[in-house]
Amino acid sequence: MNTEKIVEVSQVSLAYRRTRHKVSTLKQTAIDTINRRISYENFFALQDVSFDILRGETISVIGRNGAGKSTLLKVIARVLPPTSGRVVVRGNVAPMIELGAGFNPELTGAENIVLYGALLGRKPKEMQNRIEAIADWASLTDHLDVPLRAYSSGMTARLAFAVATDKTPDLLLIDEILSVGDEDFREKSAKRTMEIMNGGSAVLLVSHDLAAVAELSTRAIYLKNGNQISIGSPRSVIAKYREDVQP
């Protein structure tokens, strides 16, 4: 088994500051702020999470809504900085978290291919050379010179997916199994995703589909209220999760 660590997450916590009390009006909030009557507390979206991902390994993260699963992906994708702890990612990342975040609606499809690729750490010249191939794969060749604001949400997601997966990443981050575009394109995107997963990339997958987690994962992590409850084989982690959620 490959022992190269692509991701190292060490005692990572992420806290948000929130007020301890609620007031009914903006005026009262301003008065309490001026008089220093507002106190704050830390809300931990993640607390003391630690794990590694090896090259070729697929780890799934499970838990109820609000458990911190998507937050963990965003921390590893460097969208959110951790409050404490350390995250190391080696190599290039393809984040399937919020497809199209980073696009500019005033730019054309071709210009956004270069822009989005640059945000993913790829060279502009490399992206220029890949424009036609990416657009062809996404079935958007006829729309390359159209501003993105004229694209439908499905077209935007297809373009983002095509750019993100045009190059096999060292790390693939997936928030739920993707459902992009019409039925034909969903099958096409699912096939490409599986090719990446089986091609040696490290994968971190968030999903509520426990059957898919059991089938696709090397290991699984169970998060509850931001805390890492269990990590291990998919079967054992899923069993622990089901035990906790049973009424």
Side-chain angles (χ1 to χ4, degrees):
M1 181 178 179
N2 198 314
T3 58
E4 180 188 359
K5 292 182 180 179
I6 300 300
V7 178
E8 294 180 59
V9 178
S10 304
Q11 297 180 310
V12 164
S13 296
L14 178 66
Y16 297 103
R17 196 173 74 153
R18 65 184 181 186
T19 58
R20 290 180 181 274
H21 68 286
K22 292 181 172 63
V23 292
S24 58
T25 66
L26 180 61
K27 179 180 177 181
Q28 187 60 49
T29 299
I31 292 172
D32 288 347
T33 301
I34 292 171
N35 294 323
R36 297 184 178 180
R37 289 201 295 260
I38 294 182
S39 59
Y40 299 89
E41 64 182 358
N42 283 332
F43 165 73
F44 282 90
L46 294 172
Q47 192 159 16
D48 200 24
V49 175
S50 298
F51 63 93
D52 300 329
I53 308 178
L54 304 180
R55 181 174 294 281
E57 185 176 30
T58 296
I59 294 184
S60 291
V61 186
I62 63 174
R64 288 185 168 181
N65 290 335
K69 304 184 300 297
S70 295
T71 300
L72 178 60
L73 286 191
K74 290 177 181 178
V75 169
I76 293 175
R78 302 185 181 96
V79 174
L80 296 173
T83 304
S84 61
R86 184 167 175 259
V87 177
V88 177
V89 178
R90 298 179 177 89
N92 59 79
V93 181
M96 306 289 184
I97 301 174
E98 294 176 2
L99 286 176
F103 275 164
N104 186 327
E106 300 304 317
L107 299 180
T108 66
E111 291 168 335
N112 271 292
I113 288 174
V114 178
L115 173 63
Y116 197 43
L119 291 175
L120 294 175
R122 300 170 197 169
K123 296 179 180 180
K125 186 174 182 180
E126 173 190 354
M127 297 310 301
Q128 287 280 0
N129 294 333
R130 294 295 300 163
I131 287 175
E132 291 186 7
I134 289 170
D136 180 65
W137 196 90
S139 302
L140 292 170
T141 301
D142 294 339
H143 299 84
L144 275 177
D145 297 325
V146 178
L148 204 73
R149 65 174 182 270
Y151 282 36
S152 67
S153 59
M155 292 167 68
T156 301
R158 278 158 46 195
L159 185 64
F161 180 88
V163 175
T165 61
D166 182 59
K167 183 176 181 179
T168 301
D170 294 293
L171 173 64
L172 178 65
L173 302 175
I174 308 177
D175 196 353
E176 293 296 343
I177 297 297
L178 292 169
S179 179
V180 179
D182 57 25
E183 184 176 353
D184 288 342
F185 194 84
R186 284 199 298 272
E187 292 180 3
K188 192 176 181 181
S189 60
K191 181 179 178 181
R192 175 170 276 192
T193 300
M194 293 306 299
E195 287 173 354
I196 293 174
M197 293 177 71
N198 295 326
S201 296
V203 180
L204 185 62
L205 165 69
V206 164
S207 182
H208 289 283
D209 186 343
L210 299 183
V213 169
E215 179 183 354
L216 299 174
S217 308
T218 311
R219 289 185 292 155
I221 297 171
Y222 168 30
L223 292 182
K224 181 178 180 180
N225 299 326
N227 293 285
Q228 183 176 312
I229 302 300
S230 178
I231 181 170
S233 70
R235 184 183 297 274
S236 64
V237 173
I238 289 171
K240 175 60 179 175
Y241 171 68
R242 284 177 168 156
E243 178 184 312
D244 278 2
V245 299
Q246 284 179 348

